[in-house]
Structure formats: structure tokens, C-alpha cells
Amino acid sequence: LFALAGGGKAIPFGDALNYANAVNAKTGVPQAFLLAILTQETGIGKNVGTCYLTNTEDGSGINSKNGSVIARVMKPTRDVQPFISITKSLGLDYKKMVVSCPQAVGYGGGMGPAQFIASTWSNPNQSVENQISSQVARALGKSIANPWDPQDAFMAAGIFLRDLGANTSSYSAQKLAACKYYGGGTRCTSVTTPYGNNVMSLASTIQRTMIDPLQGL
């Protein structure tokens, strides 16, 4: 876990803890739990993806490291248009913004340290003011939120996790929120339970070995 303190492109631990403290103040989501989620997702920003979206018709793209063609970078009917809108609003070229590559099942498309897919970040089925992106902008006093910005990503994850029930000290509620963050649904399943268990173990270790010592505990 000392790798979280820096190295590579990871967010320095001191900065990450400051972001987590701000999120806790806004949402009530415990700092160690939030840090554990983002560690599980991207190593706190170190591994945010290696795919580019290039084909807006079928959602395929390329590997940014070797140029190989990758299918299922994004679900075309769900995430492509929101992704293009998000990048355009930020003045970014969607073809040059890395997202997560697909795993064995499903699609990729996770953006930034918190790995939001485009249709969750800016859900077209929600009113604009209720979208995660809008809630983050209001919470941070920004005109527009950026999923690749560490501060924005932390706040977005905190808001989303609060809505999933993680603003509590309950182990079971936090684990359920972690399962939902990873796989959706209403309960932990055989697919999401290992993720939830890993998050809770990480949260305990982060609290005990990294946060408590800083607080003199």
C-alpha cells in the first residue's frame, strides 16, 4: 500500500486523502472506504485505461500502447454519444482520451480515477441537475466537472457511493455499496462479492496503517 503514496501516475496519497476528507464532509462517505474503492478501481489514478474509442458506430477502438484494434471499448447504444458530449463540453478530443479496455465480459469505457462510464456520469435519462456531473460541479463550485480530474473523480465517487448507502459506519452497508459500485444490482452476487470483500479489506488496512498514524492514533 505504500505505492499509494506516489509513483507512476498515481495521485499522491496526501492529495488523495485531502480529496477524501472533502468528500466525507460533503457526503458522509468514510475516507478509508472511498480510498479503497479508488484503489480497487485504478490504484488511485495509476491505471485509468489504455483504450481509445475510434469507431462511434460499433463502439470499438484501439489499444493506446500498440495500436491494436479492440472491440467493445464502449457500448454504442449506451455510452458513445454521452462520451462524445462529455469530451466536447470539456474541449477534449474523444479519440485521445483514454478509457478502460473491456474485460472478458461486457464493455470498457471507464473514465478517469473513479472509472465512471459515460452514461452514468451524464445519464441521459436524468434531468441535468440530477446527473452526477452536475452534482459534482455544484459540490466543488465549478462550471463543469471533468471525470479525468482527480478532485472531480473523488467527489463523483463519493456522491455515487452515498446514494448507494455507503455514508455509514456499517460494514454490511459499505460492502453492499461496493458491490453495487462494481456491478450494479441490488445485492452482492458471486461476481461482485470478491470485489466487495477486497474493498473492505483494503479500507481496514488503509485506515489502520495510513490514516490512523497521520491522526496520531
Side-chain angles (χ1 to χ4, degrees), residues 66-137:
N66 57 31
S68 61
V69 176
I70 306 291
R72 298 181 293 106
V73 171
M74 285 186 192
K75 188 171 184 177
T77 57
R78 183 189 66 193
D79 295 310
V80 167
Q81 288 308 314
F83 181 70
I84 292 173
S85 295
I86 291 165
T87 51
K88 183 178 180 180
S89 69
L90 293 166
L92 302 171
D93 182 349
Y94 75 86
K95 293 183 179 180
K96 296 180 180 179
M97 299 307 298
V98 292
V99 296
S100 62
C101 296
Q103 299 181 12
V105 178
Y107 294 85
M111 303 180 296
Q115 290 290 280
F116 276 86
I117 60 172
S119 59
T120 301
W121 182 262
S122 296
N123 188 336
N125 296 319
Q126 290 180 319
S127 62
V128 172
E129 61 269 20
N130 288 330
Q131 293 176 0
I132 289 291
S133 56
S134 297
Q135 293 186 61
V136 171

Side-chain angles (χ1 to χ4, degrees), residues 9-11 16 19 34-49 98-100 110-116 121 146-157 181 195:
K9 295 181 180 179
I11 300 164
Y19 296 146
L34 177 61
L35 289 165
I37 287 283
L38 294 179
T39 300
Q40 189 76 9
E41 289 293 322
T42 63
I44 307 192
K46 188 174 183 179
N47 303 302
V48 296
V98 292
V99 296
S100 62
M111 303 180 296
Q115 290 290 280
F116 276 86
W121 182 262
N146 181 342
W148 290 277
D149 180 279
Q151 183 184 35
D152 295 11
F154 267 73
M155 186 60 70
Y181 191 95
Y195 179 95

Side-chain angles (χ1 to χ4, degrees), residues 5-29:
K9 295 181 180 179
I11 300 164
F13 182 74
D15 292 345
L17 183 56
N18 286 336
Y19 296 146
N21 286 336
V23 171
N24 174 259
K26 286 282 187 181
T27 69
V29 173

